Amino acid sequence: MWRGYGGRGRPAALALVAALCWLGAAVPASAHAGLASSFPLAGSALDRPPATVRLSFSEAPEASLSTVAVRDPAGEHQETGRPQAVAGDPLSLAVPVGDLTPQVYTVTYRVLSRVDGHAVSGRFDFGVGVLPASRLDAIPAAAPGASPLEVVARWALLAGLAAVAGTALAGLAATGRGAGRLAAAGWAMAAAGLVLLAVAQRAGAHASFAALWPTAVGRALAGRGLALAAAGAALLAARRWGRPALAAAAAATGVALAVHVGAGHAAAARTWRAAVVAGQWVHVATAAAWLGGLGALLLAVRGAPSPEKAARVRRFSALAVVALPAVVATGAVAGAREVGSWSELAGTGYGRTVLAKAALAAVVLALAARNRLRNAPLAASDLGPLRRTGGAEVGAALAALAAAALLAASSPPAATRGAPRGWRVAGHDRAATLTARLTTPVATAGPNRFTVRLEDHHRGRPVPPTGVGLRFTPVDDAGVAPTMLALRPTGKAWEAVGDGVAFDGRWRIDVVVERPTTSAAVPLLVSTEEAPQFVSVLREPGRPAVYSVQIADETVVRFSPSADGAGRRSLEVEWFDIIGSERPVAPMVLTLAHSGHTTREAVRRVGPGRFTAAVRLAPGTTTVTAITRSEEGERLRAVLRLRSG
């Protein structure tokens, strides 16, 4: 496609493409749709069997192409149906299970992401009335390395679309001429890339094309295909209708790129998704237009110098001054979003590929600056330097495009930041002489492994106590007596397995340290993680929303703010049984948590199961928690995440 110029840069670019493809095959990728949480949590033990097993991922899963199995120690399947999407929670899947008896169960899953079509698999254990013997950690999810076929497919698709977009825009801006063959070759390359991408995604899904097409992945493939077909038709029409048809070809190519970006990592953003996708589209579309436009320009300036060719060079140079900074800025923002720390940048394959792409972008910028400052002014008399430097630019840009294709086929570190983690808390005693660091593998109620490390608060040196224990006190449950757990020394730490955090909620854990002559206590505050409760919302015109939270088979809690949005509100909380009758309960504790700060609200009883409180809702998400006990003594806890403008 680039025949006639840049011969020196082409072999190097192709060699780098091959190297990047090999790297994608050789370096395993982490999870694309990483497991963010589960119910039951990995390694936990439940007092009673669950009705369903629920898995939540960092990207929305495709239920129809995903599998979740729950097996007992004999390997017998205990799930009673296929995984289904969870209403109101696009990131989760749920699979029903039978009546589980007290023993350990293993959950295995293979999930396909609705966002980019990549698959991830993993497994973990949980127990019913029994603590799993394995460590209280999920076995890390695994995804195959980036498929060389997918990397090549994405590279060909993007390079082809760049050729089509660039030549169309060059025709509109009068910076290219006679680039019809380049546009045709680019369209053919994009079509071939799209076919290869469909083959790669079908293979990754372990499904037939018939099963793939109705899914989000299949619809994204079809959307790219329709836009590419429209671009091809516009290119054919350009021979007769000229500029209007070229404008249509450029627009259709932009749509194809928009669909492509909407089926990539940017679409997995949890906040400001539209802005993230728009920014990524600007990055890809601007880069494609510049790269294809440069190719069209180099074809237009073949042969002897002339004033017309020099004018084309000046016009393209002026456009590049705007385009290249936009490419760099949007690329930097995307890289920072996907790779959030220096350790992820240097310590992961994805981060190192980002560094390689950035280095190639720096080479492109240096070559572009040389053309702008030195070679463009010489274009009226000598086009050789511009053609040689421009050919090198094209080669470096194609190599950067290969790096981008590898990134799109790999998993960014951001995909696994939501993976389940235990508690990591630290504090010091009242006299500020001792620092205690508490860690656990999971942050859930029930059996857990507690590890404590002690240091001198000022010098950071290990402290040799004679004994260490933990005292567990629920923060929001008055009348519940604290419990103790003795820890045993294990090298430089103290450790034990226990169930001091007996139920969900906020807990104060005091690390009690005994020394030969003194003792000290280090207070730590933790909150449990738990499966989201089912929430239904009733919205009537002119009235504030009413939220109903189902917390058990026979209990529903209704939260009724006096008005929508942030500000001072009256909040009514009502407890009902399954048939809608008010359920008498004990005095209720109400807490509001926002931005890491939790407050306990004053509550007034207005009925056997009705309470009201004057609260202040801050803008953003506030976690509202209501805790009480039934007449039979059963602890009831409802959690509502309330979003306020």
Side-chain angles (χ1 to χ4, degrees), residues 561-639:
S562 58
D564 293 327
R568 294 191 178 276
R569 301 286 183 262
S570 172
L571 178 63
E572 188 174 84
V573 182
E574 304 170 89
W575 302 79
F576 296 95
D577 59 23
I578 194 65
I579 62 174
S581 299
E582 185 175 339
R583 183 175 186 180
V585 296
M588 185 186 74
V589 173
L590 183 70
T591 62
L592 269 63
H594 179 76
S595 299
H597 181 64
T598 302
T599 59
R600 182 168 173 173
E601 306 295 328
V603 175
R604 182 170 61 90
R605 183 191 288 272
V606 294
R610 295 175 57 206
F611 302 83
T612 184
V615 301
R616 182 179 181 85
L617 299 178
T621 300
T622 299
T623 300
V624 183
T625 305
I627 302 172
T628 187
R629 290 186 178 273
S630 67
E631 291 183 312
E632 296 78 19
E634 178 187 5
R635 183 176 186 267
L636 305 174
R637 182 171 184 263
V639 180

Side-chain angles (χ1 to χ4, degrees), residues 161 164 168 187 194 222-238 244-256:
L161 290 175
V164 174
W187 188 92
L194 182 58
R224 295 182 184 98
L226 290 174
L228 186 59
L235 289 176
L236 291 175
L246 287 176
T253 307
V255 171

Side-chain angles (χ1 to χ4, degrees), residues 185-497:
W187 188 92
M189 175 177 280
L194 182 58
V195 171
L196 293 177
L197 182 60
V199 172
Q201 292 191 325
R202 185 209 63 80
H206 291 185
S208 64
F209 280 118
L212 186 66
W213 293 132
T215 67
V217 176
R219 291 192 294 271
L221 290 170
R224 295 182 184 98
L226 290 174
L228 186 59
L235 289 176
L236 291 175
R239 297 182 178 181
R240 180 173 181 179
W241 285 288
R243 294 174 66 86
L246 287 176
T253 307
V255 171
L257 290 171
V259 176
H260 188 69
V261 169
H265 295 315
R270 298 186 182 184
T271 58
W272 299 96
R273 180 177 302 173
V276 171
V277 172
Q280 185 67 7
W281 179 83
V282 170
H283 175 70
V284 174
T286 306
W290 168 82
L291 175 57
L294 178 58
L297 174 70
L298 293 177
L299 288 176
V301 297
R302 290 178 297 177
S306 69
E308 180 187 0
K309 293 176 182 178
R312 292 178 185 275
V313 171
R314 288 193 298 272
R315 282 195 295 271
F316 181 82
S317 181
L319 295 174
V321 167
V322 177
L324 284 180
V327 173
V328 172
T330 52
V333 171
R337 179 177 57 84
E338 301 290 5
V339 184
S341 67
W342 292 111
S343 60
E344 289 179 346
L345 187 64
T348 64
Y350 191 95
R352 289 189 290 270
T353 305
V354 170
L355 287 175
K357 183 184 174 186
L360 289 166
V363 171
V364 170
L365 285 175
L367 294 171
R370 180 181 178 86
N371 263 341
R372 167 78 175 175
L373 300 175
R374 179 178 178 181
N375 297 334
L378 299 175
S381 58
D382 186 1
L383 289 168
L386 182 136
R387 285 196 290 259
R388 288 190 295 270
T389 304
E393 268 189 83
V394 170
L398 286 174
L401 205 62
L406 178 57
L407 292 174
S410 304
S411 175
T416 55
R417 289 183 200 138
R421 293 181 175 87
W423 291 307
R424 304 286 188 272
V425 291
H428 57 79
D429 62 334
R430 181 176 298 179
T433 62
L434 179 69
T435 296
R437 304 183 186 279
L438 172 68
T439 60
T440 64
V442 295
T444 180
N448 211 335
R449 179 178 285 106
F450 299 90
T451 302
V452 173
R453 288 175 171 79
L454 302 171
E455 299 173 352
D456 182 278
H457 182 65
H458 298 289
R459 299 181 180 180
R461 297 176 180 176
V463 173
T466 59
V468 178
L470 300 178
R471 182 170 58 240
F472 301 90
T473 307
V475 175
D476 301 317
D477 291 75
V480 178
T483 60
M484 291 292 299
L485 174 67
L487 307 184
R488 63 181 184 277
T490 56
K492 296 182 179 180
W494 294 72
E495 187 176 83
V497 173

